[in-house]
Every structure is written in structure tokens, then in C-alpha cells.
Amino acid sequence: NSVGTNTDITMAIDAKGSGDLTLQGTATGDLICATGGGNVGIGVTDPDAKLEIVGQTKISHTATGVNGDTSFINLVDTDGGVTGNKIGITFSGYNDQHRSRAGIYADVHTSGAGHDLCFAARSAADGSELGTGDEKMRITSAGNVGIGTAAPTAPIHIQHSALTGFDTHADD
């Protein structure tokens, strides 16, 4: 059931018999697909998340010249600020079957309290998902940086079971 057509783009409702709304390019196939289940895909015909984008993505902001003009991508914990919730960005490779293998995330504290910024990487070769034991570094809301510890107690806190030395280098 085509709703509108020109020489380059067709908009179709229920074109696949599933209640989907698609915007199709004549040479490229589906450009945008909104499924009957509420998922939206850009560059993908069968999105399996609320928003799935395949291909390069650009988010830009044009400054208005106002001092302090900013642009953010805001990830929000809508679960009431439950301690232990994690909000962030994860990374996975194609062969990882979309399992998160690295991530940058905020570790939520109770509502209204500061959150810690955490960096994690999965080193196991078993293909498993990123887990809580994969945290490598944390910056607390108090400003302490921990490497190898989730609870740094000093401005720089490094913890490792086999740490036998510490090197610093200065370049000229």
C-alpha cells in the first residue's frame, strides 16, 4: 500500500504485511523502517532495538555564538536512580554477535548523588558479554582515579595483584 511516491522515494505502510512503515529509496532499498513493534531502523530493514542505525552516524550542533553554548548526547537512567544501574556506551565487533566487549559508562549512585565514570574492556576470548568484573578504570564523583580498583581512595590509586613496579616517563 503506497502512500506517496516520487521518482526517488516511496513511503509505504504495511508493505511487508507486518504493520511496518517504511521509507524506501529506489536504488538503496529501505531508508527508514518503523516496525509494528515500535522499533525504528535507519539503514536496516528489521531493527531489533528501539533505535538501530547501520552505517556512519553524525550528530552535529551549530553554535549560536552564545557564551557557554553546548551540545550533548544525554543518556538518562529512567529507573529512579537505582544504585548500581549503568548508563553508557558499549562497543562490540561484528563477529562478537553484538555482545558488548568494551564500554564507557556512568555507575549510578542513589538519586541526587554524583555518579562515577567507568571504563571497561572484556579480555576473555570466550565471546561472552561485558560484565562487572571487566572494569579497568574509574573516575569517582569525588575526583579520585582508580586503575584496577572500583573504590579508589586517593587521587591516583593503582591496584594490581602482580604489580612489582611503576614507571613514569617525561618527554622533552
Side-chain angles (χ1 to χ4, degrees), residues 22-159:
T22 59
L23 184 62
Q24 301 167 327
T26 55
T28 58
D30 289 355
L31 301 173
I32 298 173
C33 177
T35 68
N39 294 342
V40 175
I42 300 173
V44 61
T45 58
D46 191 20
D48 60 6
K50 287 294 178 190
L51 176 63
E52 183 175 352
I53 301 172
V54 174
Q56 267 188 318
T57 305
K58 177 180 179 181
I59 299 171
S60 60
H61 169 73
T62 303
T64 61
V66 176
N67 193 15
D69 197 15
T70 58
S71 181
F72 295 101
I73 296 174
N74 193 11
L75 305 176
V76 178
D77 175 23
T78 59
D79 197 20
V82 176
T83 297
N85 281 1
K86 304 206 180 340
I87 308 161
I89 302 167
T90 60
F91 307 92
S92 54
Y94 178 77
N95 290 330
D96 295 328
Q97 299 174 358
H98 305 291
R99 292 185 184 104
S100 300
R101 302 295 289 169
I104 303 168
Y105 57 89
D107 189 10
V108 176
H109 295 273
T110 57
S111 185
H115 304 324
D116 295 349
L117 181 63
C118 304
F119 298 82
R122 183 87 176 129
S123 58
D126 60 5
S128 58
E129 185 96 26
L130 189 65
T132 56
D134 297 318
E135 182 179 316
K136 305 299 183 205
M137 185 174 82
R138 174 181 293 251
I139 303 171
T140 69
S141 58
N144 291 344
V145 176
I147 299 173
T149 177
T153 57
I156 301 289
H157 182 160
I158 300 173
Q159 182 173 321

